[in-house]
Amino acid sequence: MQTGKGKGIRAVIFIAAAAVLLISIGIYNRRLRDELGTQMLDTLQNVAEQNALALEREIQGKQNFLEGIARELQVPENGEEEDVIAGLGDVAEDYHFKRMGFVYPDGQAYTTDGYKQNLSFRDFFQKSMKGETYITDVLTDSLGEEEQINVISVPVYNRENDQTAGVLFATYRTEMFKEQLNVTSFSGEGYSLVVKEDGTLIADSPRSPMYGKENLFDALTEGRDENETATDEISPLLKSGKSGGGSYYLEGKRYYYCMPMNLSMEEGRWFIFTVVPAEVLEAKVNPVLKDINTLFAIMVMVLGIAFCVYVYSYQRSKKDLYSLAYQDPLTCGDNYACFQEKIKRKKDVPGYIISMDLSEFKIINNTCGISKGNMILKSVWEILASEIRREELAAHINADRFILYLEEEERKQVEIRVKHLIERISGLSETMNVPRVVPYFGIYHSDDLSEVETNYSYASHARHQVKGRRDQNYAFYEESDFQLMLKNRRLEDGFEKAIRDHRFEVWYQPKYSTSDASIVGSEALVRWRMEDGSLVPPGIFIPLFEKNGMIAELDEYVFRTVCAQQKSWLKEGKQVLPVSINISRASLYYSNIVEKYRAILEECEVDSQYIQLEITESATVDNKEIQDLIDQFHKAGFQLLLDDFGNGYSSLSSLNEMHFDVLKLDKSLIDHIGDRNGEKLLYHIVNLVKSLGLKITAEGVESKEQVGFLQKLRCNDIQGFYYSRPLPCLEYEKLL
């Protein structure tokens, strides 16, 4: 029967879910409104750009027209002064100018509508006399009927001396500008303004609430308090000449504006504002939002019905769900999830977490069958369940893996109990007539049992330390072992990124001729540069990558890097000597390795004479395909070096079977120079190898005495700290 507490929890969950849904709807509505608004503003932006372009073309066209007339205009030296504008009256009428006129250098003006007046005080006269094509701000006509005008003026030049002979001007009614500012988009509700940098209104549409105002900022100041933000946004845009948009309030209504561009004038700048009432945009957005809200309401109803169905189903299946969640189907005891729940109640009680599995359990399944294997697991569970106390826990995780919690204070007592478990479980081999059943235990003491996963991982790590051993079946967790594992895991996790970021550096250890101590080549060695600048020694990451298989990718990286560097030095005309590159045992097991390396050579456009390959002697022992690989490498043009000869087991007969070009004597042989027997051994090895036609490189040479002895043996070249340590690329390049 459902308790009141359970009902309350589900009610809270339902209310929380409903609240989250409503909040989500609100957020989505807001985002949708913003998105639709953004689309409308994009439309406003496009309209604004078209308006600005049209006005700019109108002004530019009239300026070009006047400049064309000015080039053809004759300024008579003798005769009537009014003759200069003869015939321009019809032109003024055809192009909708109020008048046209000519101003002599002394400021005396003559117009097509019969006016004669000195205009030397006008800016347009002064600017055009200096050679500028100019359009004025809004002026009050001082010649004829008082009305707002703009004057376009251009200089007229004397053809003989190229001096300014006067100014041709055309008076343009400001109303003509205003008629072009009405916007047909947005159901005819939009309009445009022409504004100067200081906010002066050059022209505005009769539709605009600002119609008749002189300054944009003054009009905004008279509006609502919200316009303070609009003023702060518009002013920097006008000063910088950048595009922008936003909104402001006038006469209680909100308007959106867009300022896409400016018209650069000789004196100040004109900016085109395109404006549309906010209600026009919202009228297009609201129907969509209404449909969306209706859809969300339907979703809420569906979710409510679904929740009711869920609650009903939950009540009927609660018992089955609990069984599925916390009971192991094989042992009918606790599973790992149940263990995790129960251990939380003991978070303040220290104890030992134990990880257990069986060695090679798959052999039992393969030889005796799955059914017999399941019987073994059930018997193991019965032993574990019988050995734990009431306050302790045990669970079957999966396969042959189990977990225990023992509430002991002394480590010695835990060892006694684990040994007893080992004895009982191992006895199943005889009683059930199956192959040897060997349990292994990893033990971790914890003061915080709430971190189940962490504790179990520590215990499992300890178990891995003894898994497969015959002398020990259990181990306690040691921090040092785990830290090493974590360090290796971090190196593995950082490998791919290090490859991508080129953090593996190729260093070069030079090889020197024994005859004249000249550099004859080098060996490529790899170093790992961490992000903090420190270097990871190759002795740490090379064995790790050889174990996990990453070494093949690192081999290819080093090979490609060396080829690219050799190509770079060849292209720069620098001295280029052969570089030998190690190929790991793992790389040799790839059937396409020869083709891959040959392709890299061709890609980098490097001749194989500059690249040599080193194969360790140990890599040739277990690889039955090694001779075929050696032949393929030779056909591809590579020289092959047998590396680390003398380090461990060395088969002299293999030198004849495997056709290497160079044999590298391991440092372990070189270190015996000075010892009579060691020198005898080296003497006979060198003579035997040279009789087979191989060249010899001595590795790890560190003293003058070693160099002298190797010179007597006539080794071909020497590599070691006596001559040079491994060098970074730039230092090696300087050495060359």
Side-chain angles (χ1 to χ4, degrees), residues 19-183:
V20 170
L21 182 61
L22 291 174
I23 293 172
S24 300
I25 292 173
I27 293 174
Y28 182 79
N29 259 344
R30 180 63 178 271
R31 289 184 178 177
L32 182 62
R33 180 183 292 272
D34 291 343
E35 179 64 26
L36 292 174
T38 299
Q39 294 179 9
M40 297 301 294
L41 289 176
D42 288 342
T43 302
L44 180 61
Q45 171 88 7
N46 293 333
V47 172
E49 290 175 355
Q50 294 299 321
N51 292 342
L53 187 59
L55 187 58
E56 186 175 36
R57 286 175 177 171
E58 172 72 12
I59 295 172
Q60 189 64 51
K62 286 184 167 44
Q63 288 178 336
N64 293 341
F65 172 70
L66 284 183
E67 288 173 350
I69 294 177
R71 285 193 293 271
E72 301 298 329
L73 197 64
Q74 296 287 342
V75 182
E77 296 181 2
N78 300 307
E80 295 294 334
E81 294 177 325
E82 294 91 336
D83 291 346
V84 73
I85 59 172
L88 292 182
D90 293 337
V91 175
E93 184 176 349
D94 291 342
Y95 282 86
H96 305 291
F97 294 130
K98 184 176 180 180
R99 69 174 64 87
M100 294 180 66
F102 182 81
V103 189
Y104 283 92
D106 61 359
Q108 189 64 40
Y110 297 88
T111 70
T112 56
D113 52 356
Y115 291 100
K116 177 181 177 183
Q117 185 175 336
N118 192 295
L119 297 179
S120 59
F121 67 95
R122 288 296 195 185
D123 288 345
F124 73 84
F125 167 73
Q126 298 171 9
K127 293 287 186 179
S128 292
M129 282 299 294
K130 295 179 180 178
E132 298 181 18
T133 297
Y134 188 72
I135 181 170
T136 68
D137 293 341
V138 177
L139 303 175
T140 300
D141 194 352
S142 63
L143 296 179
E145 178 186 354
E146 284 193 10
E147 60 180 325
Q148 290 183 330
I149 60 170
N150 298 88
V151 178
I152 303 174
S153 62
V154 297
V156 178
Y157 296 100
N158 190 308
R159 296 184 180 181
E160 295 181 358
N161 55 24
D162 204 28
Q163 297 294 317
T164 305
V167 173
L168 178 67
F169 70 91
T171 300
Y172 196 74
R173 290 183 177 88
T174 303
E175 285 297 325
M176 299 292 290
F177 279 143
K178 295 181 178 180
E179 290 177 4
Q180 298 181 32
L181 299 179
N182 288 328
V183 181

Side-chain angles (χ1 to χ4, degrees), residues 98-385:
K98 184 176 180 180
R99 69 174 64 87
M100 294 180 66
F102 182 81
V103 189
Y104 283 92
D106 61 359
Q108 189 64 40
Y110 297 88
T111 70
T112 56
D113 52 356
Y115 291 100
K116 177 181 177 183
Q117 185 175 336
N118 192 295
L119 297 179
S120 59
F121 67 95
R122 288 296 195 185
D123 288 345
F124 73 84
F125 167 73
Q126 298 171 9
K127 293 287 186 179
S128 292
M129 282 299 294
K130 295 179 180 178
E132 298 181 18
T133 297
Y134 188 72
I135 181 170
T136 68
D137 293 341
V138 177
L139 303 175
T140 300
D141 194 352
S142 63
L143 296 179
E145 178 186 354
E146 284 193 10
E147 60 180 325
Q148 290 183 330
I149 60 170
N150 298 88
V151 178
I152 303 174
S153 62
V154 297
V156 178
Y157 296 100
N158 190 308
R159 296 184 180 181
E160 295 181 358
N161 55 24
D162 204 28
Q163 297 294 317
T164 305
V167 173
L168 178 67
F169 70 91
T171 300
Y172 196 74
R173 290 183 177 88
T174 303
E175 285 297 325
M176 299 292 290
F177 279 143
K178 295 181 178 180
E179 290 177 4
Q180 298 181 32
L181 299 179
N182 288 328
V183 181
T184 58
S185 302
F186 307 107
S187 304
E189 296 291 334
Y191 57 87
S192 293
L193 309 170
V194 181
V195 183
K196 285 190 66 175
E197 181 179 325
D198 61 1
T200 301
L201 284 164
I202 302 299
D204 55 358
S205 169
R207 298 177 188 165
S208 168
M210 293 188 187
Y211 192 71
K213 305 286 187 181
E214 294 183 356
N215 189 280
L216 171 67
F217 295 125
D218 292 342
L220 293 180
T221 303
E222 296 172 4
R224 294 166 51 161
D225 294 338
E226 290 91 334
N227 286 338
E228 182 177 348
T229 301
T231 301
D232 292 340
E233 293 174 350
I234 295 173
S235 181
L237 291 176
L238 293 178
K239 291 179 180 178
S240 63
K242 295 181 179 178
S243 299
S247 65
Y248 57 73
Y249 291 86
L250 283 175
E251 298 180 358
K253 293 175 64 175
R254 187 181 185 189
Y255 295 84
Y256 286 103
Y257 70 86
C258 183
M259 186 188 74
M261 61 187 293
N262 69 79
L263 301 174
S264 296
M265 303 300 162
E266 297 298 335
E267 183 69 25
R269 285 175 291 187
W270 289 6
F271 297 84
I272 309 301
F273 274 68
T274 296
V275 185
V276 66
E279 60 189 22
V280 175
L281 299 182
E282 293 171 354
K284 297 181 178 296
V285 173
N286 288 336
V288 179
L289 293 178
K290 183 178 179 181
D291 292 341
I292 295 296
N293 289 336
T294 301
L295 178 61
F296 274 121
I298 295 173
M299 290 175 59
V300 171
M301 292 176 60
V302 172
L303 289 175
I305 294 171
F307 179 77
C308 293
V309 172
Y310 164 76
V311 172
Y312 175 74
S313 301
Y314 176 79
Q315 293 301 317
R316 298 189 60 182
S317 60
K318 182 178 179 181
K319 185 176 180 179
D320 293 338
L321 290 173
Y322 182 87
S323 176
L324 289 172
Y326 295 116
Q327 189 178 78
D328 184 76
L330 177 64
T331 65
C332 296
D334 291 346
N335 63 10
Y336 187 47
C338 185
F339 183 92
Q340 290 175 301
E341 288 296 320
K342 289 183 177 180
I343 201 74
K344 291 177 183 178
R345 306 168 196 165
K346 300 178 178 292
K347 61 180 181 179
D348 297 325
V349 182
Y352 288 85
I353 298 294
I354 300 177
S355 170
M356 191 211 91
D357 73 356
L358 304 176
S359 177
E360 301 296 338
F361 183 71
K362 62 182 179 181
I363 294 178
I364 296 177
N365 281 333
N366 293 336
T367 58
C368 303
I370 300 297
S371 178
K372 191 71 170 181
N374 288 341
M375 291 177 61
I376 295 292
L377 293 177
K378 289 180 181 179
S379 297
V380 170
W381 169 253
E382 291 172 359
I383 292 173
L384 296 177

Side-chain angles (χ1 to χ4, degrees), residues 431 488 503 622 652 728 733:
T431 57
N488 288 340
R503 292 203 167 273
D622 298 324
L652 295 178
E733 184 178 344

